[in-house]
Each structure stands twice: as structure tokens, then as C-alpha cells.
Amino acid sequence: MSTGNNRPEVDDDGATILDDGLSMCDEELQQQQQQQPYQQITSAQAAAIRSNAKQYKFFTLFLLFFTFLISVIVATVRYYGNPRMMAQENGNGGGMFDPWGNKLREKENAQRLKMTLDYLIYYDVSDPETLEPEAGFGMLGVSSYSPQYRAALWISQDDKYRISIPSTNEPSREDYPFKQRYALAVLYFATGGAESWIWKMKFLTGLHECNWLDQFANGFDDVFFYGVICDGKPDLPEGEEDLWSGRRTVTGISLPPMNQMLGTLPAEIRHLGYMKLLSIQQNQGLVGSIPFQYGWLKHMSLLSLRFNSLSGKIPREFAHLKNMQYLGLERNQFSANTLQGDLDFMQEMTSLKFLTLDYNAAITGTLPDFLSDLPNLQVLSLSNLGMYGTLPPSLSNLTQLKQLYLDDNAFEGSIDMIQSLTKLTQVYLEDNNFNDTLDDTSFANSKNLVHLDISNCSFGGSVPGHLFNLTQLTVLDMSLNNLEGKLPAEAMFNTQATNLQFLSLHTNNITGPIPMSIGKLKSLRTLDLSINQFSGDLPTEIGELVDLNILFLGKNNFTEAPVREWIRNMTQLTELSLKSSSLNETIPEWLGELTDLTFLDLGENDLTNTIPQSLGNLTKLMVLILNGNRLNGELGLGQLEKLETLLIDDNDLTGNTDAMCAHDITHFIADCAHSIGAFDVELNCTCCTLCCADENTTCNDAEWLGNHKALWEYGYNRMYWDFEEGIVSPFIDYNNS
């Protein structure tokens, strides 16, 4: 039986339906094959398909890599094109950028900067005006932002240390670490750390600030550390709360000298509340005044700001620095008037042991009485100021004083108050107007003297004999005074001053012969007895001083004699002056053996004959003075290439100076002018700085004196010869300058 749709009948087990269905499928498949025959694929075609698939795979990977590279470039340009980022210090910042452009880090940094500025302003950590960003940039790419704003940017965004930023809710113990790090960053930016410091000392790295330091050596196997100094247990007065809880605290800043610091000292240093030491020296670019807030650093015991260009008045707030022991402010441009009380605050600094204000010419007035209120003072240095008047009697109360520097002022009157200071080792009073009288009681109680310089003070009297019994004395300078009488021969014979190296008595009125006991001073390196009234013969015992470097005996009334033979043994001489010493006969050939000579003055004597060409061996010679004699013949000496001063006028020399003119000479005076009635000049000179004629007796009337103007600042070493016509220095190579 069939249906309308021809569906086959189904039996009980369904087998008939399954079989019929499979047959129908076979029939349909055969019909399709007949309509579209089956296409077979060869092996070559299969290989080509696989090759194309690989190419599509590599192309897809290349697109992915190129997309990533473009993303990184775009992120980098976005980061470094941000002016705020460009204001930071290159290489020190720890700022992180977001290469995927999701701005999460930028948002976090912006929030940290806002919190930082809010905190700094709310708690008056910095002046709010300094925390405003400025538009534009400084010269040569240097940021024009204030040091405070640069420090805020750095600590909030670029500091790898990523310190927690305190909130403005309530002060907490976390505030101090933040302020400590911020204050040091301000110091760095305020003094040109990013732009000019030679040694950075790890400042603004991701290390804890107590690790911002470096090791230095001085060439003598000595090692120093400069940078930030820390202490885990800072000194705290009894009852004061320890906000630091034993963690590392900055207690000092000691920066290397000559570090090319430029700028000003920031007031933010006041937040380093446990500071004991601040040392910033020898930076001529450091200007401005000392912030008065430094007077709040009550733990400070050492402040050294020497050899900078700081100015203004020293803050009166320093009166609060009760623990200050060392205050070094010399060689700046500070101003003060002691008569107006500008320095009176120092009487409160009763712990002071070391006070130096040298070379601040605008500090004027009289020496204040309050110095007697500083019982612990050991070093008082007030050289080269504008001070004047008499010394106060209260100076005698400084019983602990060891070093006293009052030179180069306008002090006058008596120095009796110094006589009771028994611990003195160095006394420098030179270049004042004391006009006191010296005798055997002068400095009699100062048994420990090492340096005594009282030159050019208008002192009268005589040379105290007991000074030659001071066993530690190495420098005795009493030159340029009005001393009279004879040298204390007996005291010199029994001398215990076996360490005396420098003895200068030039330009006084000392009379009599030079005692033979001068030879007892075996350690002498400098002996200057010139420009006195000494008479008699020069003692041969001077020749026993074989370690002498400088010997000046000129302008005295010695017995007429040739150049003394015993000088020949003094082979370490670098300077020899026998000007106007009644020398006669000839210049000895053996002078050419003293090959270390840089200065030789035999002028204004009665030397005759020719100039020995052995002087050409003195190749270190810079000053040669032979004028005012009766020398004849030719000059020669073309080998003396270092010669800077040559005086040969008022002699009978002939010929020319061509050999000498091959070198540049600063001062060259000769008889090279036409004399009256003469057809030719005595000496042809094409490079002389002054030509004289025989009848012109005033042609070269300058005092060409090379006396040692000794300075304690240079260790009493020769720095220059100060002639009326100019300065010549042994430390300058004039031929290559």
C-alpha cells in the first residue's frame, strides 16, 4: 500500500526504512558525480598551499610586531615631549612612563605632586611663592623652575625611592623623612647640582639619602668622605621627643671644596633639625646671604662657609646656636659694624672654640669687649678686616687662646693684654700701627710660640733675647719696625731655638756687628738682615748655615771686601742679595756653581771687570741685578732664558744685547741712551724697557728690593718679588704665559 508521498511502509524492526534510505543516498551521490566530476589534487599543488599558509603566518606576526613598535614610539614621544619631564635632572630621575598609553602612572604622579605641594604649603616647609611653576625654560636648556618646585617635582614623580608623601591632616612621624629628603633635594637644585657640580656624590639617586656620599683621596693615601652624614641616634636634649625613632637621621653635610656650586643657600636646610655640621667651601659662585633660619639648627656645632662669595650680615639668630664650636666664615663679602652691635650675638655662643672672619673687608669697628665672654675660644682670626682702635684689656681673659690673627687692620696702642696668654702658639699682628715698645718682657710668658709675626707694626725697642730660647719657635718676623740696639749675641749663642727656620729683621735700625753666634741657628732656611745699620765684617759662621735657601744681607755698613768665599758652600741657596754691601774686586766665577739661584742681587757695590760667563749656568735665574757697579765688557748670558728682570745700568758695559733680546724680559734697564757729546751709545739694546745715559743719575732711581714680604697665608714661602715697577713671581712661566 502506498501513500501520497510514496514513503515506504515501515515494518516492525525499521529495517526496510534504513535500507531504502541508504539506497536513495547512493542514487543522489551518483547523480552529483555525473553532473560535476570529481577533481583530484596533485602533490605540487598541496606544497604550494602549505607555502602560502606559512607566508600568511609570517605576515601576521610582522603586523603584530610593527603595531607594538609604533605603540612604544608613540608612548616615548608622549613622555619626553612633556615639558614637565624635560625640567627634571637628566639621569637622576626615576620617573616611570606608561608605554601602553593607559596614563595610570601619569595620573598617580599628578596626584603625588598635588599632595606634595599641598603639604609643603600647608606646613610652611617652603615659601609658597617658590612652589609656583614658571613658564618657559632657562638658558641652554636649564630649567627656569625654582629649586623648590624642581625638588617637589623630583620627590613626587621622578624619585625611584618613591617615598611616602605625608598628608595635611595631622603631623606624623613620617613627615620628617619626607622633609629631610626634600630639603636635600632643594640644596642640590639651589646650588647648581644638576647643572654645574663636578662631583654629584649620588645625590638624587634612588638610594636612601644617607647613602648620598662618595670617597675621595688627597694623593697622600688619606681617604675622605664627602656628602651626606647620618647618625642612627642623634643627640637629643633631655625631655625632647625623638621623632625619628632611631632611624637614620641626617646630622651633617660636608661637600667637597671647589665643586663649582652656583646659586644660593636655601632656607629649607632648617628642616634638618638634627644637623651638627655644615661645610660648603671654596665656591666663588655661591652668593647671597646666610638664611636667618639656620639659627634654628640648635644642634649645630660646626659651620664652615669659607672662601665663597656670600654677603650680607651674619644672622643675629646665631645667638641660639649654643653648641657651636667652629664658625668659619672667612674670605666672603660679609658686612658688620661692631659699634652698632652687629656681632654682639656671638657672646651667646659660649661653646665657641674656633672663630674666623678673615678677609671680609666690610666688617668694621673696634675689637668688641664681648670676646671675653667666650672662655673656650682657642682660635681667633680677624685678619684683613676694617677694624681699628686699641685692643680691649678684656682680651687677656681668653686664657685658652692658642692662635691669634689680627694682622692687616688698623689697630694701635699697647699689646700688654696679650702678654698673659700663656697658651699662644701662633701670633700674627703684622701690618698694624701698635707703636708699642718691645723689651725682654715682651712675650716672655708665651713659651709655646711656634710663629710670631709682628712685622710692620711701628714697634720700637730691641729684639728680646729670650725669643731665641723658645724650643718650638719656627718663624720670627720682626721686620719693618723701628727696632734699635744690637742683636742679643749671648742669647743666640746659648740658643734653644733649634727649630727656627725663618728669621727676618730687615728694615730696622739694628746696629753693631752680626754676632758669630748666628751660626748656631742651624735650622734656618731664610735669613734676612738687610736694610739695617750693621757694621764690621760679615762673620764666616753664616757659611755654616748650609740649609739656607734665602740670604739677604744688603744695605748695611759692612767693611769693604770681595764677595765672601764661604758663600760657595751654600749650595741650596735660591736667593742671594748683597745689594750695597761694600763689595769690591770682581764677581767670582764660582757663583755659577749655585745653580738653584732664582734671584741674585749684587747691585750698588764697587765690582769691576767683566761679567763672568759662568753666570750663564744659572738657568733658573729670574732676577739679576748688577746695576751701580763698574763692570765692563760685553753682557752675553743669552742662556738665561727664564730671566724676567735684568738691571745692568750705571756700568761701563759695551756691545749689544742681541743674545738677551732673543727672550721676552719684563724689566730690562741698561745704558743704552745717548750721552751728551757721545756719537754712539755705550750699549745697543733693542728690547730694553728703560735706557739710561751716564749723566742722568736719576734715570733708574726705583728701589729694586726683593725682600721677603712673608705671609702666613702661604706658609712663609716666597710667592713673588714686589718691586716698585711691578711684581715678578717664581711660579709663573712668563715665556709660555
Side-chain angles (χ1 to χ4, degrees), residues 173 175-177 179-180 229-237 240-253 268-278 296-302 323:
R173 292 188 176 185
D175 292 12
Y176 193 87
K179 288 193 293 185
Q180 174 173 280
I229 303 169
C230 289
D231 189 346
K233 295 181 179 179
D235 296 336
L236 294 173
E240 182 174 329
E241 182 183 4
D242 180 10
L243 296 177
W244 192 244
S245 302
R247 289 173 289 179
R248 289 184 295 174
T249 315
V250 174
T251 55
I253 301 172
E268 283 75 10
I269 292 296
R270 72 183 186 273
H271 299 299
L272 303 177
Y274 299 104
M275 282 268 289
K276 303 176 187 176
L277 177 153
L278 177 60
W296 303 348
L297 298 172
K298 57 187 176 183
H299 299 290
M300 187 76 75
S301 62
L302 185 152
N323 295 311

Side-chain angles (χ1 to χ4, degrees), residues 410-661:
F411 293 120
E412 58 187 22
S414 173
I415 60 168
D416 286 346
M417 65 291 299
I418 298 176
Q419 309 300 334
S420 60
L421 304 179
T422 60
K423 293 187 177 182
L424 286 174
T425 58
Q426 274 97 357
V427 176
Y428 305 101
L429 305 179
E430 70 268 22
D431 299 321
N432 281 288
N433 303 310
F434 287 112
N435 198 27
D436 203 355
T437 301
L438 302 181
D439 55 30
D440 282 338
T441 65
S442 302
F443 302 100
N445 297 317
S446 303
K447 306 294 185 182
N448 300 309
L449 279 176
V450 177
H451 287 183
L452 177 59
D453 190 340
I454 54 175
S455 59
N456 195 28
C457 285
S458 301
F459 282 121
S462 58
V463 178
H466 67 82
L467 294 178
F468 293 95
N469 293 322
L470 300 178
T471 57
Q472 299 181 57
L473 191 65
T474 61
V475 170
L476 178 57
D477 191 348
M478 306 176 74
S479 60
L480 294 162
N481 282 296
N482 300 311
L483 301 178
E484 300 177 335
K486 298 180 180 180
L487 288 180
E490 184 176 352
M492 296 173 73
F493 182 80
N494 297 313
T495 183
Q496 298 179 38
T498 55
N499 293 310
L500 189 61
Q501 298 180 19
F502 185 100
L503 176 59
S504 180
L505 300 171
H506 77 79
T507 319
N508 281 286
N509 297 308
I510 304 172
T511 59
I514 298 175
M516 293 183 292
S517 53
I518 193 79
K520 294 285 187 177
L521 304 175
K522 300 294 186 183
S523 297
L524 278 180
R525 301 291 187 274
T526 296
L527 176 61
D528 191 345
L529 303 178
S530 60
I531 318 179
N532 278 284
Q533 302 296 325
F534 288 114
S535 57
D537 197 7
L538 285 172
T540 58
E541 285 77 7
I542 296 179
E544 298 174 9
L545 305 176
V546 293
D547 291 330
L548 270 182
N549 303 129
I550 299 176
L551 177 60
F552 275 58
L553 299 173
K555 284 190 171 288
N556 280 290
N557 301 319
F558 299 123
T559 301
E560 188 170 334
V563 178
R564 277 59 170 187
E565 181 77 19
W566 44 260
I567 296 177
R568 187 174 189 175
N569 299 322
M570 307 176 78
T571 56
Q572 296 191 44
L573 280 178
T574 59
E575 300 182 33
L576 174 62
S577 176
L578 298 173
K579 178 190 292 289
S580 188
S581 296
S582 304
L583 299 179
N584 59 16
E585 299 188 11
T586 62
I587 300 175
E589 289 278 349
W590 53 258
L591 270 180
E593 299 173 10
L594 305 180
T595 55
D596 284 335
L597 281 177
T598 59
F599 180 101
L600 177 60
D601 185 355
L602 301 177
E604 300 177 21
N605 284 291
D606 193 29
L607 297 169
T608 60
N609 213 328
T610 60
I611 299 174
Q613 293 306 295
S614 63
L615 296 187
N617 298 327
L618 307 180
T619 55
K620 298 180 182 179
L621 206 61
M622 297 188 70
V623 177
L624 177 59
I625 300 176
L626 299 175
N627 63 320
N629 285 285
R630 291 190 292 138
L631 300 171
N632 56 48
E634 295 191 355
L635 174 61
L637 303 181
Q639 311 96 306
L640 304 182
E641 297 181 358
K642 292 189 175 182
L643 209 59
E644 284 303 312
T645 297
L646 176 60
L647 309 184
I648 55 174
D649 58 290
D650 197 12
N651 279 289
D652 298 317
L653 297 171
T654 58
N656 62 65
T657 62
D658 292 348
M660 194 61 65
C661 287

Side-chain angles (χ1 to χ4, degrees), residues 18 40 93 125 176 227 292 363 378 436 451 490 580 610 693 699 716:
L18 178 60
Q40 303 232 343
V125 179
Y176 193 87
F292 70 89
I363 296 181
Q378 298 179 15
D436 203 355
H451 287 183
E490 184 176 352
S580 188
T610 60
C699 178
Y716 289 89

